[in-house]
Amino acid sequence: MKFRPRVAAVALLTAAAITLTACSGSGAQPASSNGSAVTGGTLTIGALVDVKSFDPAQAHIGHYVQYYQPVYDSLLRREADGTLVPMLATAWEYNSDNTELTLTLRDDVTFTDGTKLDAEAVKINLDRFRTGNGPDASTLAQVSDVTVADATTVVITLKAQDPALLDYLGNADGFIASPAAVEGGKLATDPVGSGPYTLDKSKTVAASSYTFVKNPDYWDPSLQVYDTIVVKPILDTTAMSNALLSGQLNAALLTAKTQPQAKGAGLTEYNYPTDWQGLLFFDRDGTMVPELADVRVRQAINYAIDKETLLAQVGKGLGTATSQPFGKGTDAFDESLESAYPYDVDKAKELLSEAGVGEFSITMPTVSGFLDPALTAGIGQNLADVGITVNWENVAGSDFISSLVQGKYAASWFSLFQGSPWVAVNQIIAPEATYNPFHTTDAKVETLITAIQTGSAEEQKTAAQEINKYIVEQAWFAPFYRPDQIFFTDKNTTTEPQLQQAVPSIYSYAPAQ
Amino acid sequence: MVSFIVRRLISGVVVLFVVSSLTFFMLYFSATSVARNILGESATQAQVHLKEIELGLDQPLFSRYVDWLGGALSGNFGVSWFNSQPVVDSIVGRLPTTLSIVLVTIVIAAVLATLFGVAAAVRRGWVDRLLQIVSIGASAIPQFVVAIVLVTVFAIGLQLLPATGYVPLTDSFGGWLASITLPIIALAIGAVASTAQQVRSAVITVLSRDYVRTLRSRGLAPREILFRHVLRGAAPAGLTVLSLQFIGMLGGVVVLEQIFALPGLGFLALQSTTQGDMPVLMGVVVYIVIIVVVVNLLVDLAVGWLNPKARVS
């Protein structure tokens, strides 16, 4: 019996393969690279998160801004180096004690639904942001009132000074949607702003690809470098790397693991720090682990950790070892604190015996699949070497953060964003800070916090440096290193890393010359 | 036949009810900190509390269950806790991706497995041995390994096919085909291999039956015996394996959807599980149970049509 169908099947498969080859050129279209034209074309970027809602009241910083920036203008715009420049607000001024901020608005801006931008629209958006229970709503906690002085003037009144307010208005808090669209109640999926682009829903597949097309009536064409921007949420880091390497993306954030392949492929690499990683000591009063109340024990742990080796093994060497929780480029940064606690087992043992503690154990949480086994093994080994046993308790990924902020653990490894001093203080140091679940504090810290919040620019800077020095001395944390963000663009694209942001702002992309 | 279908439908509804209720109660006990996860780390405890009230997490378990069940019965599965999209929209938006991959794979698996299985059973000898070895090897390789190799070769190396993403069939046929080709190959290899084995042994069994010998002795053409009688007798076994394959693929596709960044049902299930997005997860569970029940029913009907004895038993 002869089997002709087999031959037919092979022929069919071959034909299919050829057809597929012919119709597969639908990746990212590089912008024209003929040297003269530097605008137009399509920019396709990968995002490690999917947008949760296009409603600016639900906007979030970091990776999420890529979805908001095309469609919404913000009140101020943060340049790549963090400088604030005018956007919807042309000028801003504080009163003498920094409790009232007056914003002057552009008078020539129209939302893409035809509504005109005015002070009332800004008030509606700011009020929605601070009362809408979005992820960043707490950043406007100091705002007591937003008032309309005239059509182009808005006054923001504060309960207490907030040195980070202007930064916030240049970020998630400052995105302004059309009041008519707010009224319409469909902003979550149908964004209406005054931004350089509009969402093209016909070319958008939720969770897969969001297409933004140029807003023809935009007031600042210099921010419209591309005709089209496509943002593709790719939540898996390997898939992200594959998409970039295969030419489906012009730019993407990779990881230490996927970096070598991209580098080998000749893509352009950008390295910049935004986070720090290390141990957070929550129980500084010794409620759960009495030994941690002694500063010498906390210092000993700092000395016991072999940061350089951890960075090499876990972070593939892409980053900088440090002993301070505040980031480079912030007022609090102090170069001399980078190596405040070098790896020194003898010193650690000496401090522990001075403190008079015998062997003890700390229970810390771990999340399988999230915490690198090399990391937990390294920490465990380093601490075991000085007589401290780490009991790792596996928690579900979705419960990790809440278990930390609810004070279920005396200490934990964590990776945290490094913002401006005031942002960092409110994140990890202040008595009510998110990552101070035991609310530990002391008089010196409180004085310095007040100085950062209410002092003049010069006083703020001095206080920020002092608080950094103080908490490093007091070993409130055991920082390991600042891992690099590893961002890549293809050869047709350039960008500029954004200070204190995981990914560049969309305004920073341009075709390569 | 009608009472057979009615019996099957009733048992399907019972399965659906039991599975979804059990899932609901199991999820409730594990969902502890979802409000915090929705709002992110910078949210205050007061914000988290507000969110819990907004989501109804402060309500007693039973009343939440009744609410959910009432909604589900009227086709309303609520909205996602994380992106406020209606659950039904999310699922309906992702069904085409998953079904495209799984259905095309099943068709390919059915055709190729029959081809290979029958060839091995009829030819025996070296053809049989070769197919046996290849299919054991093929079913032993994990899908994700195949997927990674395919991406490395065809997407990154040769740049012939996209490494990630899904193009809806309604947008472009070529784009659709290109976007599902690599995941389908990764999924099909194992399915073809194990189905071919089943087809092979079913065909061998049928070939050794008395009635086949009788047909042969009456001088019927071997081709006619094979296509009209043997295949019909062997088909139920193949169909059953395919239906099991289909159900297994709904699980296997989760990994592939992650590797190829496809917006499918599997990845939605994975994501909503890790986030604790209960409404979405419940919706996914209900849809998948419905799909499984329907597929089983269709296979039973097909087997009954092919083999009248099955209808009676």
Side-chain angles (χ1 to χ4, degrees):
Chain A
M1 197 178 301
K2 294 267 186 273
F3 266 92
R4 295 287 167 219
R6 186 167 47 182
V7 180
V10 171
L12 194 71
L13 285 176
T14 316
I18 292 166
T19 323
L20 288 176
T21 314
C23 58
S24 66
S26 55
Q29 297 298 320
S32 102
S33 53
N34 58 14
S36 56
V38 291
T39 61
T42 298
L43 171 73
T44 308
I45 50 184
L48 263 181
V49 298
D50 191 7
V51 62
K52 288 176 178 170
S53 162
F54 275 108
D55 184 339
Q58 299 295 320
H60 192 28
I61 52 167
H63 301 269
Y64 290 96
V65 297
Q66 299 169 108
Y67 294 99
Y68 294 97
Q69 285 175 340
V71 283
Y72 297 110
D73 286 325
S74 55
L75 287 168
L76 315 179
R77 185 160 64 78
R78 289 162 70 239
E79 299 259 39
D81 65 359
T83 318
L84 293 166
V85 297
M87 200 166 194
L88 290 179
T90 53
W92 50 93
E93 197 181 9
Y94 269 115
N95 66 348
S96 58
D97 67 350
N98 291 349
T99 53
E100 255 183 41
L101 178 70
T102 305
L103 298 170
T104 310
L105 306 172
R106 297 188 69 91
D107 58 5
D108 60 347
V109 175
T110 309
F111 294 103
T112 49
D113 63 357
T115 314
K116 250 186 99 58
L117 171 87
D118 58 13
E120 187 60 34
V122 172
K123 176 182 163 54
I124 289 169
N125 278 275
L126 288 176
D127 283 344
R128 285 185 83 231
F129 193 90
R130 64 199 182 97
T131 57
N133 210 31
D136 289 354
S138 63
T139 54
L140 292 188
Q142 298 300 349
V143 174
S144 60
D145 202 14
V146 180
T147 45
V148 173
D150 60 51
T152 56
T153 313
V154 178
V155 180
I156 301 174
T157 311
L158 301 174
K159 290 176 220 161
Q161 294 90 336
D162 188 340
L165 180 63
L166 287 172
D167 275 335
Y168 293 145
L169 297 180
N171 214 325
D173 308 37
F175 294 125
I176 303 299
S178 155
V182 167
E183 202 63 31
K186 284 166 67 184
L187 279 175
T189 51
D190 298 326
V192 183
S194 60
Y197 299 86
T198 54
L199 179 67
D200 182 350
K201 289 200 80 172
S202 71
K203 290 191 183 125
T204 289
V205 180
S208 177
S209 179
Y210 298 86
T211 302
F212 301 93
V213 294
K214 212 166 172 172
N215 168 6
D217 306 317
Y218 192 57
W219 56 274
D220 183 3
S222 77
L223 294 180
Q224 298 174 299
V225 175
Y226 292 92
D227 292 335
T228 311
I229 293 181
V230 179
V231 183
K232 293 186 169 192
I234 300 179
L235 279 48
D236 183 77
T237 52
T238 311
M240 180 78 97
S241 162
N242 293 339
L244 181 69
L245 287 167
S246 67
Q248 283 188 298
L249 301 175
N250 299 115
L253 183 69
L254 300 189
T255 61
K257 219 171 88 187
T258 50
Q259 180 257 6
Q261 216 185 344
K263 203 176 163 68
L267 301 171
T268 317
E269 184 177 6
Y270 306 79
N271 289 350
Y272 50 96
T274 57
D275 293 351
W276 68 278
Q277 302 185 352
L279 294 178
L280 310 185
F281 301 127
F282 301 123
D283 188 19
R284 292 178 288 253
D285 290 341
T287 325
M288 290 169 85
V289 179
E291 289 84 353
L292 282 181
D294 193 314
V295 61
R296 288 167 296 189
V297 173
R298 301 196 299 263
Q299 288 171 339
I301 295 176
N302 268 278
Y303 282 116
I305 299 287
D306 185 356
K307 306 179 181 74
E308 297 285 352
T309 305
L310 280 180
L311 176 59
Q313 297 299 321
V314 182
K316 312 284 173 209
L318 298 165
T320 317
T322 183
S323 291
Q324 60 188 326
F326 287 89
K328 260 187 180 151
T330 70
D331 283 345
F333 184 79
D334 181 344
E335 186 66 43
S336 70
L337 295 177
E338 284 289 85
S339 50
Y341 296 103
Y343 176 50
D344 189 339
V345 178
D346 295 336
K347 180 92 183 164
K349 286 180 175 165
E350 202 181 299
L351 282 165
L352 286 171
S353 74
E354 264 177 45
V357 300
E359 295 195 350
F360 70 99
S361 63
I362 308 178
T363 301
M364 296 203 277
T366 177
V367 179
S368 54
F370 173 58
L371 262 73
D372 191 327
L375 176 76
T376 47
I379 297 171
Q381 185 60 52
N382 281 164
L383 295 186
D385 288 346
V386 297
I388 302 169
T389 311
V390 180
N391 300 319
W392 295 105
E393 203 164 271
N394 212 334
V395 298
S398 53
D399 293 337
F400 185 55
I401 291 178
S402 69
S403 73
L404 300 187
V405 302
Q406 285 171 8
K408 288 187 181 162
Y409 295 96
S412 173
W413 174 90
F414 204 45
S415 174
L416 278 167
F417 168 72
Q418 282 184 323
S420 68
W422 182 240
V423 170
V425 160
N426 282 299
Q427 189 181 30
I428 55 175
I429 296 172
E432 296 305 321
T434 311
Y435 292 101
N436 189 0
F438 291 80
H439 312 297
T440 64
T441 185
D442 67 28
K444 176 148 190 190
V445 166
E446 303 247 8
T447 313
L448 290 170
I449 290 176
T450 311
I452 295 174
Q453 183 176 11
T454 61
S456 67
E458 199 48 45
E459 286 163 349
Q460 283 182 16
K461 188 173 173 174
T462 318
Q465 292 198 333
E466 267 184 64
I467 206 167
N468 189 11
K469 192 158 188 281
Y470 182 69
I471 62 154
V472 170
E473 278 167 9
Q474 291 296 309
W476 275 31
F477 310 99
F480 298 170
Y481 49 82
R482 285 187 295 274
D484 283 337
Q485 295 287 76
I486 298 154
F487 200 85
F488 277 95
T489 57
D490 66 6
K491 63 179 190 318
N492 301 311
T493 312
T494 63
T495 191
E496 211 177 333
Q498 178 81 31
L499 182 75
Q500 294 165 5
Q501 189 167 293
V503 292
S505 287
I506 62 138
Y507 323 111
S508 300
Y509 292 97
Q513 295 288 325
Chain B
M1 198 66 179
V2 174
S3 83
F4 169 80
I5 297 174
V6 169
R7 274 204 317 272
R8 279 317 187 103
L9 282 177
I10 291 173
S11 72
V13 169
V14 171
V15 166
L16 181 60
F17 177 76
V18 171
V19 171
S20 59
S21 302
L22 281 178
T23 313
F24 186 95
F25 289 109
M26 283 193 299
L27 285 175
Y28 176 83
F29 286 114
S30 64
T32 49
S33 50
V34 68
R36 158 72 56 191
N37 296 332
I38 294 168
L39 292 171
E41 54 184 65
S42 62
T44 60
Q45 210 50 47
Q47 269 187 281
V48 171
H49 188 62
L50 263 179
K51 195 69 175 182
E52 280 169 352
I53 294 172
E54 186 188 317
L55 299 178
L57 291 173
D58 55 335
Q59 300 295 314
L61 173 59
F62 191 71
S63 82
R64 290 174 52 200
Y65 174 69
V66 171
D67 281 353
W68 179 83
L69 193 65
L73 286 175
S74 60
N76 175 12
F77 290 90
V79 295
S80 158
W81 284 350
F82 281 79
N83 64 19
S84 310
Q85 268 207 333
V87 171
V88 174
D89 291 3
S90 293
I91 292 174
V92 169
R94 283 156 185 261
L95 265 177
T97 313
T98 303
L99 288 183
S100 296
I101 293 169
V102 173
L103 291 179
V104 177
T105 307
I106 280 292
V107 172
I108 291 174
V111 173
L112 293 183
T114 308
L115 224 61
F116 296 153
V118 171
V122 173
R123 283 289 192 80
R124 305 303 293 264
W126 68 268
V127 176
D128 189 17
R129 280 196 297 278
L130 179 70
L131 282 171
Q132 293 261 49
I133 292 166
V134 169
S135 71
I136 288 169
S139 45
I141 306 171
Q143 282 158 4
F144 74 92
V145 174
V146 179
I148 290 167
V149 172
L150 290 173
V151 170
T152 311
V153 175
F154 293 100
I156 297 173
L158 303 172
Q159 309 226 335
L160 290 178
L161 292 163
T164 61
Y166 174 74
V167 178
L169 182 55
T170 45
D171 279 11
S172 131
F173 178 75
W176 172 77
L177 201 57
S179 69
I180 61 171
T181 299
L182 294 182
I184 282 176
I185 296 174
L187 201 55
I189 288 177
V192 171
S194 46
T195 312
Q197 289 278 2
Q198 300 295 327
V199 172
R200 172 189 168 276
S201 36
V203 171
I204 289 175
T205 312
V206 177
L207 279 173
S208 66
R209 290 264 164 79
D210 289 345
Y211 74 87
V212 175
R213 206 173 48 202
T214 312
L215 291 171
R216 280 211 188 104
S217 69
R218 288 176 59 193
L220 258 74
R223 185 170 298 230
E224 204 189 332
I225 296 175
L226 181 70
F227 285 113
R228 287 196 52 186
H229 302 282
V230 175
L231 274 188
R232 192 172 171 140
L239 276 174
T240 309
V241 174
L242 277 178
S243 79
L244 291 174
Q245 289 284 353
F246 178 89
I247 293 160
M249 274 179 208
L250 290 176
V253 84
V254 173
V255 178
L256 293 176
E257 285 174 6
Q258 188 170 4
I259 292 173
F260 292 101
L262 297 165
L265 210 52
F267 196 55
L268 183 68
L270 182 73
Q271 210 187 338
S272 50
T273 309
T274 42
Q275 288 178 327
D277 196 343
M278 262 184 70
V280 175
L281 194 49
M282 287 305 301
V284 171
V285 166
V286 168
Y287 270 77
I288 287 182
V289 173
I290 291 176
I291 291 172
V292 169
V293 166
V294 169
V295 166
N296 273 323
L297 180 64
L298 291 179
V299 169
D300 286 343
L301 289 177
V303 170
W305 173 73
L306 285 163
N307 179 6
K309 268 197 287 183
R311 267 173 276 173
V312 186
S313 57

